[in-house]
């Protein structure tokens, strides 16, 4: 389940063309089980109607500090006391400047100023033209807002409504949602660096053919996302898969097992945790033809011979940092049968503290799975669930082990 379910968020709109994205954001938040209370500035109403936001949030919208619907006529107090967080999206350059100076001449800024600062976090999603964003005044304001404990989201980059191209676009609704979810997630891996491998590898036979496997990479990508939500700095080394990079995760794309080994060796130095979910091809063709292998008239099939690929996990697990406990290694055992026996044997063979068993053919390409966590003390099952839920549970488990280790 999303960390947002059951939360009460005040969604503030200041004036900006990005307000259309706030309608989508509002809908997405409601879908996640969030109660959304919309507050709009007068400028915001030039870009989006209160009627639209009321329909999407299912609640009356507040636009004025003189709103007599409130019995005590103190909308700014009442609204901010109910909230788990205030999210201002779009936050215009002017609105951020106003926040910085404690301006309070309309409901939204007044409510932000009046919020209990230790209880109700304020998150802003800036939205403006690239020159406005890069202007030293805005950058100074952003730094000062952060210094005041306000959570300033990144801006997007690309084509702008004014026809210019650059930084300053408001993030897309799903990006804001992801950042909001990360904001509320328990930071059990804060300050840790996590390296994850995911997906299959592809071993070329010639320029147009190769051998690979059915791994989709979904489990590894979900783990990378869960680790980022837990506050870790995450590096994802991905084999050839068509999956979007989880937000806030650094990604290196590789093709073959040798490429993957190379990338892992370069990235593993700073890591505290290595999670090897990749379905690395065990063998590669002894030689990959430079040109496409053609049929001839002889009816003979090409004779392929294979060499074994390096075992990336075993290699890392034998490194001095892993052996001394500075690097915690986690393997994934993809089996077709006798999961416990195979995962137990594989854990010992690879020399890792934790081996996560799963039935490969039952899960490859699917959105759900079931896991068996095998360590030196025995096995624990994480029953059938979505890959996302299992990834979050696994990251919690690893976080606990890291805490015990110190
Ligand atoms: N692994 C690896 N490099 C390899 C093979 C596997 O890093 N060349 C890692 C996988 O990422 C996984 C673990 O080792 O974390 C187990 O992978 P799996 O394919 O289940 O096992 P294999 O070692 O290939 O053994 P077998 O094929 O005999 O089951």
């Amino acid at each position: 389940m999303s960390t947002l379910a059951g939360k009460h968020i005040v969604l503030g709109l200041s004036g900006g063309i990005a307000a259309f994205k706030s309608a989508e954001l509002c809908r997405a938040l409601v879908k996640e089980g969030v109660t959304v209370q919309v507050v709009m500035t007068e400028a915001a109403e030039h870009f989006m109607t209160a009627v639209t936001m009321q329909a999407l949030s299912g609640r009356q919208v507040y636009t004025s500090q003189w709103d007599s619907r409130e019995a005590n006529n103190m909308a700014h107090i009442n609204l901010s006391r109910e909230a788990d967080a205030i999210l201002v999206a779009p936050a215009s350059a002017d609105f951020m400047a106003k926040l910085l100076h404690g301006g309070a001449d309309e409901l939204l800024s007044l409510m932000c100023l009046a919020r209990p600062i230790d209880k109700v976090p304020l998150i802003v999603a800036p939205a403006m033209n690239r020159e406005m964003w890069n202007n030293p005044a805005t950058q100074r304001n952003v730094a000062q807002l952060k210094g005041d404990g306000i959570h300033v989201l990144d801006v997007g980059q690309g084509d702008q409504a004014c026809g210019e191209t650059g930084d300053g676009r408001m993030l897309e609704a799903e990006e804001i949602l992801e950042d909001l979810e990360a904001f509320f997630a328990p930071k059990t891996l804060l300050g840790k660096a996590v390296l994850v491998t995911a997906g299959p590898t592809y071993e070329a036979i010639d320029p147009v053919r190769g051998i690979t496997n059915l791994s989709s990479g979904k489990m590894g990508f979900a783990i990378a996302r869960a680790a980022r939500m837990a506050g870790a700095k995450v590096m994802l080394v991905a084999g050839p898969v068509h999956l979007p990079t989880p937000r806030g995760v650094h990604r290196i794309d590789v093709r073959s097992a040798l490429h993957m080994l190379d990338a892992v060796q370069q990235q593993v130095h700073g890591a505290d945790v290595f999670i090897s979910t990749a379905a690395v091809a065990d063998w590669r063709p002894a030689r990959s033809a430079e040109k496409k292998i053609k049929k001839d008239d002889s009816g003979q099939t090409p004779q392929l011979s294979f060499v074994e690929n390096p075992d990336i996990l075993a290699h890392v697990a034998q490194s001095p940092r892993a052996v001394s406990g500075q690097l915690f290694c986690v393997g994934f055992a993809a089996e077709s049968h006798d999961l416990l026996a195979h995962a137990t044997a594989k854990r010992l063979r690879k020399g890792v503290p934790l081996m996560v068993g799963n039935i490969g053919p039952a899960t490859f390409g699917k959105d759900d799975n079931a896991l068996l966590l095998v360590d030196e003390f025995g096995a624990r099952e994480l029953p059938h669930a979505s890959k996302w839920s299992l990834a979050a549970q696994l990251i919690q488990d690893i976080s606990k082990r890291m805490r015990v280790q110190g």
Side-chain angles (χ1 to χ4, degrees), residues 83-146:
D84 288 305
I86 298 173
L87 167 65
V88 181
S92 66
D94 179 59
F95 190 78
M96 292 201 301
K98 199 193 263 184
L99 275 182
L100 180 75
H101 291 289
D105 63 346
E106 43 69 46
L107 178 60
L108 186 56
S109 54
L110 178 61
M111 182 191 65
C112 291
L113 190 69
R115 82 189 196 284
I117 205 162
D118 297 329
K119 282 201 205 129
V120 183
L122 176 57
I123 303 158
V124 298
M128 66 200 74
N129 162 271
R130 66 188 174 117
E131 297 292 0
M132 292 166 74
W133 174 250
N134 288 320
N135 192 292
T138 304
Q139 288 306 311
R140 243 188 345 260
N141 290 351
V142 167
Q144 182 62 61
L145 289 173
K146 287 181 179 172

Side-chain angles (χ1 to χ4, degrees), residues 254-268:
V254 296
R255 208 153 89 119
S256 67
L258 291 179
H259 290 148
M260 188 172 274
L261 174 65
D262 200 39
V264 166
Q265 280 178 325
Q266 283 183 33
Q267 299 300 326
V268 79

Side-chain angles (χ1 to χ4, degrees), residues 54 142 182 193 217 241 248 291 302 315 342 347 364 369 386 405:
Q54 178 175 349
V142 167
V241 291
K291 292 188 179 143
H315 197 81
H342 284 307
R347 188 185 84 78
F364 276 6
N369 199 357
S386 70
Q405 258 187 6

Side-chain angles (χ1 to χ4, degrees), residues 276-278 280 282 310-313 331-335 346 349-350:
S276 181
T277 68
V280 184
D282 290 318
D311 190 319
I312 302 169
L313 175 61
F332 263 69
E335 309 297 340
K346 215 171 257 184
R349 198 170 76 234
K350 307 234 177 192

Side-chain angles (χ1 to χ4, degrees), residues 12-343:
L13 277 68
S14 62
I17 187 63
F20 74 93
K21 296 184 187 176
S22 309
E24 212 180 310
L25 175 63
C26 178
R27 213 163 77 113
L29 285 167
V30 169
K31 220 167 142 194
E32 292 290 321
V34 174
T35 317
V36 183
Q37 176 59 62
V38 176
V39 176
M40 296 171 73
T41 64
E42 193 197 330
E45 286 192 90
H46 286 279
F47 296 92
M48 174 63 66
T49 70
V51 174
T52 304
M53 297 310 290
Q54 178 175 349
L56 292 173
S57 64
R59 293 170 75 96
Q60 291 184 343
V61 170
Y62 284 79
T63 56
S64 163
Q65 76 265 43
W66 310 117
D67 197 317
S68 59
R69 283 174 298 180
E70 294 293 299
N72 59 359
N73 215 305
M74 293 185 195
H76 62 296
I77 300 289
N78 305 347
L79 293 172
S80 61
R81 298 305 181 269
E82 286 167 7
D84 288 305
I86 298 173
L87 167 65
V88 181
S92 66
D94 179 59
F95 190 78
M96 292 201 301
K98 199 193 263 184
L99 275 182
L100 180 75
H101 291 289
D105 63 346
E106 43 69 46
L107 178 60
L108 186 56
S109 54
L110 178 61
M111 182 191 65
C112 291
L113 190 69
R115 82 189 196 284
I117 205 162
D118 297 329
K119 282 201 205 129
V120 183
L122 176 57
I123 303 158
V124 298
M128 66 200 74
N129 162 271
R130 66 188 174 117
E131 297 292 0
M132 292 166 74
W133 174 250
N134 288 320
N135 192 292
T138 304
Q139 288 306 311
R140 243 188 345 260
N141 290 351
V142 167
Q144 182 62 61
L145 289 173
K146 287 181 179 172
D148 289 349
I150 294 172
H151 194 77
V152 183
L153 299 182
D154 289 339
V155 289
Q157 205 267 343
D159 293 343
Q160 304 199 312
C162 52
E164 297 178 3
T165 304
D167 290 335
R169 285 165 54 115
M170 187 169 90
L171 295 178
E172 300 302 322
E174 73 268 19
E175 294 174 318
I176 296 179
L177 194 69
E178 183 77 3
D179 284 359
L180 199 61
E181 210 174 315
F183 179 83
F184 282 110
K187 296 289 171 287
T188 54
L189 284 179
L190 195 64
K192 302 286 182 202
V194 176
L195 176 63
V196 182
T197 63
T201 63
Y202 177 90
E203 313 296 332
I205 293 171
D206 69 14
V208 298
R209 306 182 183 92
I211 55 168
T212 185
N213 59 63
L214 290 174
S215 166
S216 64
K218 285 179 182 172
M219 193 71 226
F221 276 58
I223 287 171
R225 176 176 177 234
R228 181 257 171 171
M229 291 253 174
K233 189 170 142 247
V234 184
M235 178 62 75
L236 174 63
V237 177
V241 291
H242 299 284
L243 291 175
T245 309
R247 199 163 154 67
V249 167
H250 301 278
R251 171 175 178 173
I252 299 176
D253 285 322
V254 296
R255 208 153 89 119
S256 67
L258 291 179
H259 290 148
M260 188 172 274
L261 174 65
D262 200 39
V264 166
Q265 280 178 325
Q266 283 183 33
Q267 299 300 326
V268 79
H269 303 286
D272 301 290
V273 183
F274 175 53
I275 309 176
S276 181
T277 68
V280 184
D282 290 318
W283 306 282
R284 66 179 182 277
R287 57 175 291 275
S288 164
E290 269 177 36
K291 292 188 179 143
K292 185 183 175 193
I293 303 170
K294 303 292 284 179
K295 286 194 292 274
D296 57 24
D297 294 333
S298 68
Q300 296 251 311
T301 55
Q303 299 300 301
L304 295 177
S305 60
F306 292 90
V307 290
E308 199 169 318
N309 270 327
D311 190 319
I312 302 169
L313 175 61
H315 197 81
V316 172
Q318 281 154 24
S319 67
R321 287 187 65 242
V323 173
S324 67
Q326 287 170 278
L327 173 66
F328 187 79
C329 292
V330 183
F332 263 69
E335 309 297 340
S336 61
H337 59 286
D338 293 338
L339 190 54
L340 178 60
H342 284 307

